[in-house]
Amino acid sequence: MIRPQFFIPIITLLRNSAMNSLEYKQEVALMREQNIDITNFEEDLDTFKSAFARNYDLASRKFKTAIDEIDKTIRHLQKTKDALVSSENNLRLANNKADDLTVKKLVRKNPTMKAKFDALN
């Protein structure tokens, strides 16, 4: 029971209490939203980190594969160079032998050809 002279102050107290309660509820709701925002931000950050790490890993593997292929190509080209140098040496030796070849050396062990050339002189 409320005496009539206290009716308005009680209503004012109830109203103020309800307003304070509403403010607290709004603050709690705001805190929840901020927590949700932080949670979403952390999830987005984790998603970005994992995607970036995956892309980094893929790129790293591709770089390693490319470097391995370059090394294989260098080894292959070195083998080709060595083969060409060896061929050049063999051609040089063959050319030296061809330069040293004379008619006298060809007919030296062949008496028939030696006799014919002697007859021509």
Side-chain angles (χ1 to χ4, degrees), residues 7 17 19 24-26 37 47 55-57 66-68 71 73 80 85-86 91 94 99 105 109-110 114-115 121:
F7 186 70
S17 177
M19 292 297 261
Y24 289 133
K25 285 181 183 179
Q26 289 174 347
D37 288 344
T47 302
N55 289 348
Y56 176 81
D57 185 49
I67 289 170
D68 290 343
D71 288 342
T73 302
T80 304
V85 167
S86 175
L91 287 172
D99 285 344
K105 285 184 180 177
K109 294 183 182 177
N110 189 339
K114 186 176 183 182
N121 288 336

Side-chain angles (χ1 to χ4, degrees), residues 98-112:
D99 285 344
D100 288 342
L101 186 64
T102 62
V103 174
K104 286 184 180 182
K105 285 184 180 177
L106 283 176
V107 296
R108 180 180 53 176
K109 294 183 182 177
N110 189 339
T112 307

Side-chain angles (χ1 to χ4, degrees), residues 60-111:
S60 176
R61 279 190 263 151
K62 293 289 183 181
F63 277 129
K64 185 174 179 349
T65 302
I67 289 170
D68 290 343
E69 291 298 320
I70 289 171
D71 288 342
K72 286 179 188 176
T73 302
I74 289 171
R75 283 193 296 275
H76 180 72
L77 288 174
Q78 185 62 42
K79 286 179 185 177
T80 304
K81 177 184 171 188
D82 293 343
L84 288 172
V85 167
S86 175
S87 295
E88 179 186 11
N89 288 337
N90 288 329
L91 287 172
R92 183 182 48 78
L93 292 173
N95 189 39
N96 289 344
K97 288 179 182 178
D99 285 344
D100 288 342
L101 186 64
T102 62
V103 174
K104 286 184 180 182
K105 285 184 180 177
L106 283 176
V107 296
R108 180 180 53 176
K109 294 183 182 177
N110 189 339

Side-chain angles (χ1 to χ4, degrees), residues 4-57:
Q5 68 263 22
F6 296 119
F7 186 70
I8 293 188
I10 288 288
I11 289 179
T12 304
L13 282 174
L14 289 173
R15 184 182 84 56
N16 289 342
S17 177
M19 292 297 261
N20 288 339
S21 175
L22 182 62
E23 284 180 27
Y24 289 133
K25 285 181 183 179
Q26 289 174 347
E27 286 181 22
V28 168
L30 182 64
M31 286 182 186
R32 284 183 184 158
E33 286 178 18
Q34 288 174 350
N35 285 341
I36 289 173
D37 288 344
I38 290 171
T39 303
N40 288 340
F41 178 77
E42 288 174 346
E43 288 174 359
D44 291 344
L45 185 63
D46 288 341
T47 302
F48 173 77
K49 283 180 180 179
S50 63
F52 187 84
R54 180 180 170 273
N55 289 348
Y56 176 81
D57 185 49

